Amino acid sequence: MLDLLIKNVNLANAEKGQDIAVIDGKIVEIATHITTPAQQTIQGNGHLASAPFIDSHFHMDSTLSLGQPRLNQSGTLLEGIALWGELKPSLTVDAIKKRALELCRWSIARGTLAIRTHVDISDDRLLAVDALLEVREEMSEYIDIQIVAFPQDGFLRYAKSEQNLLRALDKGVDVVGGIPHFERTMADGSASIRRLCEIAQQRDLLVDMHCDESDDPMSRHIEVLASETIRQGLQGRVTGSHLTSMHSMDNYYVSKLLPLIREAQVHVVANPLINITLQGRSDSYPKRRGMTRVPEMLEAGINVAFGHDCVMDPWYSFGTHDMLDVAHMGLHVAQMTGMSQMSAAFEAVTNNAAKVMRLENYGLQVGCHADIVICEASSAIEALQLRPERLFVIRRGKVIASTEPRVTKLHIQNTESSVSFSKGLF
Ligand code: FE2
């Protein structure tokens, strides 16, 4: 007897008309026409079944704080930073938790079941660390949350950062963060990378740095991050987030840099929604897009994921934490409209992001966790086209969110008809 049987779904790898059998929270069989009896059966009706969406770069401590204490009038990064500074003194553990838990509910509804969140450790009280550790624990049945100790005000630039970062790690924070481009000098940026990688190496932790989030083509901290990764034997355990300066770098230099990132097995997370709104901001025309070189990195064999970064916070007024919005924006900004590139954009918010977080037993394969999202679309590419309802969100074989199909009726030309946006082309 199966616990759950999902009938007639199309998989993200383009296999169509498959059934998925689940026992004890694991996928035990994927085949056409499974006839084993099951306690619960879901009719997939030819919709897409995918492993859950994953957000590998987010800020849960600031999320949903939009309007507190006031709205960002200019919409700029600088006013966003100022606003966060104004809000910080009045933060409480309960207020941060409340917003983060609300965000988790949005995530589950959107089929996003793993989030890597950075947490600002520049506040000596570490309130946000305490709040997010509680959220990680309370939501662990539903979402995998990884927390990155993020020295927002700089690691060397703010004197108490190392002490705070070590305290945060002692409390149970998972990943070592950094922000080398925000240190006072390039040399300090390099020194911060060396020290942070040492801390990760000594404690056997992963690293994820905000790196070169700048339009300055000479912001080259990713080179140091990659070389330190190799020197300290951290291959596959380090992520460079943003890397927007690479957009503006000299092409010859990048031709040397890409193989280095690949050699170090450094993962890359681009954040298209934020990069396209914050980068190139001081340019006249032509105006740079500012997102890192995603197609070129994928071609070079580098693992690239897309993150949401922000949802309704001082830096970004939009978003409902829908990773399909992120992939949709990512493929536009990177001009990834080729057939295999559109599939790659879907991978960037699923499998590639799982590799960044080093999630175990992730994937729509026999033996993996029965964590499955059924979208009201016929394929991964149609899901990007329509950004449809998540009809069922399943975690360890249990339905944890369900949504009725979207039906719009037209009352025109003296008749009533329903409208469908699906063309079923992919
Ligand atoms: Fe970020």
Side-chain angles (χ1 to χ4, degrees):
M1 176 72 95
L2 304 172
D3 294 331
L4 173 67
L5 177 60
I6 301 169
K7 298 289 291 177
N8 186 26
V9 284
N10 297 340
L11 308 186
N13 68 8
E15 281 184 67
K16 296 197 183 292
Q18 301 291 304
D19 296 350
I20 303 172
V22 174
I23 296 176
D24 287 339
K26 299 256 186 226
I27 297 172
V28 295
E29 188 180 4
I30 301 176
T32 49
H33 303 304
I34 297 174
T35 53
T36 316
Q39 288 188 348
Q40 184 184 7
T41 301
I42 291 173
Q43 297 298 336
N45 299 320
H47 289 132
L48 169 71
S50 164
F53 299 109
I54 294 174
D55 186 0
S56 53
H57 187 109
F58 195 67
H59 294 262
M60 228 184 240
D61 49 359
S62 55
T63 195
L64 300 178
S65 67
L66 182 66
Q68 298 173 23
R70 59 186 175 80
L71 289 165
N72 186 332
Q73 293 299 323
S74 64
T76 58
L77 171 63
L78 284 180
E79 189 174 341
I81 292 170
L83 269 172
W84 181 236
E86 287 171 35
L87 179 59
K88 260 198 219 182
S90 63
L91 288 175
T92 63
V93 171
D94 284 351
I96 298 166
K97 254 186 90 173
K98 195 166 172 230
R99 289 190 280 97
L101 287 170
E102 175 74 0
L103 190 279
C104 288
R105 294 169 61 81
W106 289 19
S107 302
I108 293 166
R110 298 300 195 192
T112 301
L113 300 187
I115 302 172
R116 175 180 280 183
T117 176
H118 295 252
V119 61
D120 181 3
I121 53 98
S122 300
D123 182 341
D124 299 341
R125 301 168 299 170
L126 297 186
L127 297 182
V129 170
D130 291 336
L132 295 192
L133 284 169
E134 285 180 28
V135 171
R136 184 181 72 182
E137 179 65 26
E138 284 175 30
M139 297 308 289
S140 62
E141 197 178 333
Y142 312 107
I143 305 188
D144 297 306
I145 296 174
Q146 274 181 3
I147 308 175
V148 186
F150 173 48
Q152 171 88 65
D153 296 345
F155 182 65
L156 297 174
R157 191 167 172 168
Y158 178 59
K160 288 192 179 165
S161 275
E162 175 152 350
Q163 193 188 329
N164 288 355
L165 183 125
L166 294 174
R167 279 171 58 214
L169 297 178
D170 288 342
K171 281 172 180 275
V173 164
D174 309 273
V175 181
V176 177
I179 185 164
H181 59 276
F182 193 69
E183 305 296 347
R184 289 191 182 90
T185 64
M186 296 292 272
D188 277 1
S190 299
S192 77
I193 291 169
R194 266 193 293 280
R195 178 66 190 132
L196 288 161
C197 285
E198 274 168 20
I199 292 169
Q201 212 271 344
Q202 285 159 5
R203 293 183 176 232
D204 196 23
L205 295 174
L206 305 178
V207 174
D208 188 341
M209 294 195 196
H210 283 66
C211 191
D212 302 323
E213 189 181 2
S214 156
D215 292 322
D216 173 9
M218 297 310 290
S219 185
R220 293 176 167 187
H221 296 292
I222 178 58
E223 181 185 65
V224 179
L225 183 61
S227 73
E228 277 303 307
T229 298
I230 296 168
R231 194 178 71 79
Q232 301 200 37
L234 290 166
Q235 290 94 332
R237 306 172 58 79
V238 174
T239 298
S241 282
H242 289 293
L243 305 185
T244 53
S245 74
M246 284 185 70
H247 188 96
S248 303
M249 280 177 186
D250 170 70
N251 289 329
Y252 188 85
Y253 174 70
V254 172
S255 74
K256 177 175 171 244
L257 182 57
L258 291 177
L260 174 64
I261 298 172
R262 165 88 173 108
E263 183 192 354
Q265 296 165 50
V266 167
H267 305 278
V268 172
V269 181
N271 296 291
L273 297 165
I274 306 308
N275 300 154
I276 199 66
T277 46
L278 292 184
Q279 302 310 132
R281 204 64 192 216
S282 56
D283 286 3
S284 176
Y285 289 92
K287 223 180 228 305
R288 286 168 289 179
R289 295 172 187 223
M291 190 165 81
T292 197
R293 303 187 187 203
V294 176
E296 293 77 8
M297 286 180 172
L298 290 170
E299 210 150 285
I302 296 164
N303 183 47
V304 183
F306 289 150
H308 207 306
D309 204 1
C310 303
V311 166
M312 296 195 198
D313 68 8
W315 296 276
Y316 188 64
S317 303
F318 297 88
T320 57
H321 212 218
D322 186 345
M323 296 310 293
L324 283 173
D325 283 346
V326 174
H328 186 263
M329 179 61 80
L331 77 86
H332 281 79
V333 176
Q335 301 178 327
M336 291 168 62
T337 47
M339 288 295 294
S340 64
Q341 290 179 317
M342 290 190 280
S343 298
F346 190 85
E347 292 276 301
V349 293
T350 51
N351 290 322
N352 296 7
K355 287 181 199 156
V356 170
M357 290 183 67
R358 293 170 72 98
L359 296 178
E360 289 175 359
N361 300 315
Y362 172 88
L364 212 61
Q365 284 145 23
V366 171
C368 290
H369 289 310
D371 298 349
I372 301 162
V373 179
I374 301 177
C375 296
E376 196 184 8
S378 59
S379 68
I381 294 176
E382 192 175 77
L384 290 169
Q385 283 183 315
L386 305 179
R387 283 155 289 146
E389 303 298 353
R390 311 313 118 94
L391 300 175
F392 296 95
V393 180
I394 295 159
R395 169 89 166 175
R396 309 293 193 258
K398 292 197 177 79
V399 175
I400 60 169
S402 58
T403 304
E404 292 296 316
R406 189 191 293 172
V407 179
T408 302
K409 289 205 166 144
L410 297 187
H411 313 275
I412 60 171
Q413 295 174 316
N414 299 320
T415 180
E416 190 173 281
S417 58
S418 59
V419 68
S420 167
F421 297 100
S422 170
K423 302 302 285 179
L425 289 170
F426 299 105

